[in-house]
Amino acid sequence: MIEKIAENISVIQNKIAAAQARSVYAAKQVQLLAVSKTYPIERVRDAVAAGQRAFGENRVQELVEKFEHCPDLEWHLIGHLQTNKVKYLIGKTCLIHSLDSMELAQEIEKRSAAQDVQTNVLVQLNIAKEDTKSGLMEDELADFLDAVCAFPHVHLSGLMTIGPNVEDASAIRSVFARLRQLRDAQQQILRPNCDLSLLSMGMSGDYEIAVEEGANIVRVGSAIFGQRVYS
Ligand SMILES: *Cc1c(COP(=O)(O)O)cnc(C)c1O
């Protein structure tokens, strides 16, 4: 298992580098986030042995449990976050990828202020307008950024989206390109404390397209750890 995980990580790193080399939109640095949801902590340790430091979880409880095992690693929350779970998360995550409502932003501000920390967040967009996905609609973004940038304990770091669940690579590509264009447009607007440098997009099936379109964090699970079994 440990050799397989190391090999998978190395293959993915090479594919990321190749995608960077063939696109003008590619970021200079791309972080591989290993999505460890549903996999036991032993698999996380296998990945650490291969040099991996950043891990993504989509449920708060699972993130907190794994954080307690390995507090020195980077833990990212990538799944939808319920307001009533924020209190368990603050101080344990280095980046929340899924900020998608004002109510949630207010709660992150309140809980971060209480612990005297700044919490890094990405705003999630629902570019493909799929009912099953959370995230803001494009036309809500500008006002939302205005508001979030004013929160002293919420540090806005960029944008996140999930590619559409379709076969058509060009449809996936246009969603990722759109996230980059939205970021570029919003960066023209001067807002204090508004950092939009991170673009989190791409999963096991589409991370190479995402890198070509400017992702600097790709969230890859099953291509590293093998097929996931949901319990
Ligand atoms: C599970 C998940 C991933 C990783 O999915 P894989 O297809 O296993 O790479 C990425 N992003 C989010 C938001 C997820 O929930």
Side-chain angles (χ1 to χ4, degrees):
M1 206 59 200
I2 186 160
E3 289 83 9
K4 187 66 188 158
I5 287 174
E7 184 193 325
N8 290 343
I9 289 173
S10 153
V11 166
I12 293 163
Q13 293 285 16
N14 288 336
K15 287 186 177 174
I16 289 172
Q20 282 175 283
R22 65 179 172 252
S23 171
V24 292
Y25 300 119
K28 295 209 166 47
Q29 303 272 353
V30 178
Q31 181 179 34
L32 173 60
L33 181 67
V35 176
S36 48
K37 67 185 185 200
T38 73
Y39 303 103
I41 196 71
E42 290 74 23
R43 297 291 86 74
V44 169
R45 295 192 204 280
D46 292 346
V48 170
Q52 182 67 34
R53 304 294 304 170
F55 293 86
E57 290 289 332
N58 69 336
R59 291 173 53 241
V60 171
Q61 191 186 336
E62 196 172 341
L63 185 151
V64 169
E65 282 169 20
K66 287 176 178 164
F67 170 88
E68 307 291 352
H69 281 289
C70 302
D72 296 336
L73 299 175
E74 268 188 39
W75 292 102
H76 296 228
L77 195 278
I78 61 173
H80 178 66
L81 176 56
Q82 287 172 274
T83 306
N84 62 358
K85 300 276 172 66
V86 171
K87 57 179 177 284
Y88 306 115
L89 186 65
I90 297 305
K92 296 177 179 161
T93 181
C94 75
L95 183 62
I96 296 171
H97 291 230
S98 47
L99 177 61
D100 61 358
S101 77
M102 196 41 94
E103 190 196 9
L104 184 56
Q106 284 163 346
E107 181 68 8
I108 295 170
E109 169 60 29
K110 182 178 131 190
R111 298 288 175 177
S112 302
Q115 291 193 36
D116 198 21
V117 294
Q118 271 221 334
T119 300
N120 299 316
V121 301
L122 305 179
V123 174
Q124 181 173 354
L125 283 144
N126 184 355
I127 303 225
K129 300 193 175 70
E130 292 177 304
D131 292 344
T132 50
K133 294 206 169 91
S134 38
L136 296 187
M137 293 298 154
E138 288 180 23
D139 60 1
E140 300 173 305
L141 179 61
D143 288 347
F144 190 76
L145 294 180
D146 288 344
V148 170
C149 293
F151 288 134
H153 299 87
V154 178
H155 182 257
L156 186 66
S157 310
L159 306 178
M160 178 274 218
T161 200
I162 300 175
N165 191 9
V166 296
E167 292 292 316
D168 179 6
S170 68
I172 297 170
R173 182 179 301 281
S174 70
V175 164
F176 294 155
R178 184 69 190 144
L179 193 72
R180 184 190 70 242
Q181 290 156 1
L182 286 170
R183 190 273 307 274
D184 292 350
Q186 291 301 322
Q187 260 179 341
Q188 303 302 312
I189 302 170
L190 208 60
R191 297 182 179 94
N193 308 314
C194 180
D195 169 10
L196 292 176
S197 53
L198 296 180
L199 289 181
S200 166
M201 53 191 194
M203 321 196 332
S204 290
D206 55 18
Y207 69 88
E208 290 167 273
I209 302 173
V211 170
E212 287 170 1
E213 295 302 329
N216 44 25
I217 305 184
V218 292
R219 309 177 306 266
V220 179
S222 48
I224 295 176
F225 296 106
Q227 197 161 354
R228 193 176 291 116
V229 182
Y230 288 93
S231 50

